[in-house]
Amino acid sequence: MIEIENLCKSFTLHNQGSAVIPVMAGAHLRVGPGECVALTGQSGAGKSTLMRMIWGNYLAASGTIRVGGLDVTRATPREIIALRRDTLGYVSQFLRVVPRVPTRTVVAEPLLALGVAPEAALARAEDLLRQLNIPARLWDLSPTTFSGGEQQRVNIARGFAHDYPALLLDEPTASLDGANREVVLGLIEAAKARGAAIVGIFHDEAARARLCDREIDVTHFTPQRAA
Amino acid sequence: MEGALSISSKENRQIRAPGDGPLLRVAGLSKFYGARTGCADVSFDLWPGEVLGIVGESGSGKSTLLSCLAGHLTPDRGQVIFETREGPRDTVAMAEPERRLLGRTDWAFVHQNPRDGLRMGVSAGGNVGERLMAVGARNFGAIRETAADWLGRVEIDAARIDDRPRQFSGGMQQRLQIARNLVTGPRLVFMDEPTGGLDVSVQARLLDLLRGLVRDMGLAVIIVTHDLAVARLLAHRLMVMKDGRVIEQGLTDQVLDDPQAAYTQLLVSSVLQV
């Protein structure tokens, strides 16, 4: 489902003396349906960078990233938008939404974009919010005013609204209490069981051990830097 | 999709129908003011349901480009090929009356200043109804009903239908301008800094409204803005302009999160947070 071959990436900082910073070289990764792979490595090793390249908001210097058959490194914006709508989901660490949009709608949006009828989309959104213990009295409010943990759960609800065949999870259990952590782990297990290919960053070691079939240390893809 | 979640929206099905072509194809569009460049060699395709953001500082040529695209300015070179209901036509080569008809039917233009897009001495209902009448609607009752429906869609209280826009706040005027523009069911909407003069809270409401309309009506939108936060929330794709030229273009979050050109890096890093 997700196939990465010989992926390289560097940043060119034009406004800082055109410094070229190589951040990844020769990355390989294959994730099949129903498989969950954890990216590991120290902070700054390139876990988030790799995830963003799969998502398509970081450009690759060379190599290929195939998601559901589409090579993200060569795809047009239009193809990536379709990929994100139909195939590839992403639960980032931070919720980014239009202010004043009700939580219920924020969660239903991925389904509305797919053309699901509003009643069905909102019902699914409410079901997820209920599972994630967001009180019903908050559903009509914008999540921008919520606490960090509540925002994270809204973000997760939104990311699981549609059954994406491929999922990227960036610290999905960070800042959650025990009960909610358990709900999120359950959602991830259910996604695996229905055949989703998952790439995740989990600092939560117990979660990683429970969910992940393999670990990939991205330090192996970090280019040697001159001291 | 499976189970209880069924695909129902007709508009969405239309957008994704295979074999659909671009709605607008722009090739080599250039406009010069004497020796000065307004915009130079701009090319892109725009598909139904797609929002293209044009960003850049003042004087970068983004408004000139928008005016050339919308037929308010005549470009010196290039083509603007629009997929009309009768097939593709180069709107640059069209006769003026034809282009005006397009401007009343399939195209809409939302100005930064609502005063430029509204008739300030005519009631809110009249502002919306007028555009319907311009395309041949004659039944007063039906026009008023449609106008009232659209005021509702842009969240203006039906009780204000007979008030003049000058009695409205800036945000309401902007929403009225949007209703007036969208009532005839256009397929392509040009927007010049639509959230420009508004308070941040009013901007948010307008952004939400625009996103819903784009999704539900399958609109194609070209939006000029200098506000990168607005661009991130509204646009699928971005075009970055400087000195009349397109410096960089791509997927919105890619251009903002991993800008390639020196100018775009400077632009993005100059903003507090987008």
Side-chain angles (χ1 to χ4, degrees):
Chain A
M1 193 64 211
I2 300 173
E3 293 162 25
I4 296 175
E5 271 165 33
N6 208 15
L7 190 65
C8 303
K9 166 78 183 163
S10 59
F11 290 105
T12 305
L13 308 178
H14 292 287
N15 301 303
Q16 294 176 43
S18 292
V20 178
I21 303 173
V23 292
M24 190 166 292
H28 287 264
L29 180 66
R30 288 178 98 85
V31 188
E35 211 179 6
C36 180
V37 173
L39 302 181
T40 62
Q42 287 187 338
S43 181
K47 302 185 294 290
S48 293
T49 297
L50 181 55
M51 207 162 245
R52 288 180 189 145
M53 289 167 85
I54 302 171
W55 182 240
N57 59 330
Y58 275 16
L59 288 178
S62 61
T64 58
I65 304 169
R66 291 190 178 281
V67 182
L70 179 72
D71 183 355
V72 174
T73 63
R74 284 166 188 79
T76 63
R78 189 178 150 70
E79 288 170 325
I80 295 183
I81 288 163
L83 182 79
R84 292 176 181 181
R85 185 182 55 216
D86 301 323
T87 310
L88 182 63
Y90 181 29
V91 177
S92 67
Q93 284 193 72
F94 304 100
L95 184 68
R96 178 136 44 194
V97 294
V98 178
R100 300 184 56 174
V101 177
T103 294
R104 191 195 319 251
T105 313
V106 165
V107 175
E109 257 173 8
L111 293 172
L112 296 173
L114 277 161
V116 171
E119 313 81 68
L122 290 170
R124 169 81 176 142
E126 290 175 7
D127 178 43
L128 280 161
L129 288 168
R130 203 174 291 117
Q131 284 186 55
L132 285 156
N133 301 306
I134 303 287
R137 65 188 155 78
L138 297 181
W139 296 354
D140 286 325
L141 307 178
S142 162
T144 45
T145 56
F146 291 5
S147 73
E150 284 167 342
Q151 290 197 4
Q152 175 66 350
R153 279 179 278 147
V154 171
N155 213 11
I156 288 165
R158 182 182 161 92
F160 282 87
H162 170 52
D163 287 341
Y164 297 100
L167 269 176
L168 305 174
L169 307 175
D170 192 352
E171 293 280 11
T173 56
S175 69
L176 296 185
D177 60 39
N180 284 311
R181 174 178 173 276
E182 196 55 38
V183 175
V184 173
L185 294 180
L187 284 172
I188 299 171
E189 282 171 336
K192 270 186 79 175
R194 66 166 169 77
I198 301 172
V199 174
I201 300 172
F202 305 90
H203 284 152
D204 178 345
E205 277 182 39
R208 203 193 308 156
R210 177 164 149 192
L211 296 170
C212 298
D213 304 290
R214 279 182 292 135
E215 293 186 5
I216 300 285
D217 185 349
V218 299
T219 314
H220 298 307
F221 312 142
T222 311
Q224 298 303 314
R225 285 179 205 170
Chain B
M1 299 305 300
E2 57 199 13
L5 304 177
S6 63
I7 308 283
S8 76
S9 163
K10 204 190 302 174
E11 289 91 339
N12 275 301
R13 244 192 333 247
Q14 275 173 0
I15 300 165
R16 284 202 302 279
D20 259 3
L23 188 63
L24 192 72
R25 280 175 292 155
V26 178
L29 201 66
S30 306
K31 172 75 183 173
F32 303 99
Y33 301 105
R36 203 161 57 78
T37 303
C39 63
D41 208 22
V42 177
S43 302
F44 65 90
D45 287 349
L46 186 72
W47 299 67
E50 210 171 40
V51 180
L52 172 69
I54 304 175
V55 298
E57 294 167 328
S58 347
S60 61
K62 53 194 198 305
S63 292
T64 295
L65 173 60
L66 194 71
S67 296
C68 286
L69 293 169
H72 298 170
L73 271 177
T74 307
D76 293 310
R77 279 204 301 270
Q79 296 176 314
V80 178
I81 298 169
F82 179 70
E83 195 66 36
T84 70
R85 288 162 207 262
E86 283 82 42
R89 293 283 310 276
D90 184 357
T91 62
V92 175
M94 262 184 187
E96 186 58 27
E98 267 190 299
R99 200 161 46 225
R100 278 171 188 262
L101 179 64
L102 208 53
R104 288 198 302 270
T105 53
D106 275 347
W107 287 10
F109 197 103
V110 176
H111 297 266
Q112 172 173 8
N113 188 339
R115 286 163 188 280
D116 297 333
L118 290 173
R119 296 255 311 265
M120 299 306 283
V122 174
S123 71
N127 262 288
V128 180
E130 194 177 54
R131 201 169 135 114
L132 281 171
M133 279 155 60
V135 294
R138 288 292 172 262
N139 181 315
F140 178 78
I143 292 171
R144 195 171 163 89
E145 197 176 312
T146 308
D149 174 51
W150 265 96
L151 291 182
R153 287 219 227 175
V154 298
E155 302 169 27
I156 293 175
D157 188 344
R160 306 289 306 263
I161 191 167
D162 294 318
D163 291 354
R164 307 264 185 280
R166 64 170 61 95
Q167 295 164 267
F168 289 0
S169 67
M172 275 174 79
Q173 287 180 359
Q174 197 55 297
R175 295 202 302 277
L176 180 62
Q177 192 193 180
I178 287 166
R180 174 180 163 99
N181 269 283
L182 297 188
V183 67
T184 49
R187 293 187 292 151
L188 175 59
V189 183
F190 302 97
M191 296 189 185
D192 191 4
E193 304 272 9
T195 59
L198 303 175
D199 288 340
V200 179
S201 62
V202 180
Q203 270 191 26
R205 186 169 179 188
L206 197 66
L207 284 175
D208 177 36
L209 175 74
L210 289 173
R211 283 212 329 180
L213 292 170
V214 165
R215 186 181 60 216
D216 297 341
M217 298 175 74
L219 296 175
V221 178
I222 301 176
I223 177 171
V224 161
T225 179
H226 69 276
D227 186 333
L228 297 183
V230 167
R232 187 189 280 275
L233 290 173
L234 213 50
H236 299 116
R237 283 194 296 149
L238 284 189
M239 234 160 63
V240 183
M241 291 193 73
K242 184 179 190 296
D243 301 332
R245 293 183 180 274
V246 177
I247 295 287
E248 179 164 0
Q249 58 177 318
L251 200 65
T252 297
D253 59 6
Q254 182 264 299
V255 171
L256 295 179
D257 295 340
D258 189 14
Q260 304 296 301
Y263 175 70
T264 318
Q265 291 185 355
L266 188 66
L267 198 67
V268 171
S269 65
S270 305
V271 179
L272 291 177
Q273 199 186 16
V274 285

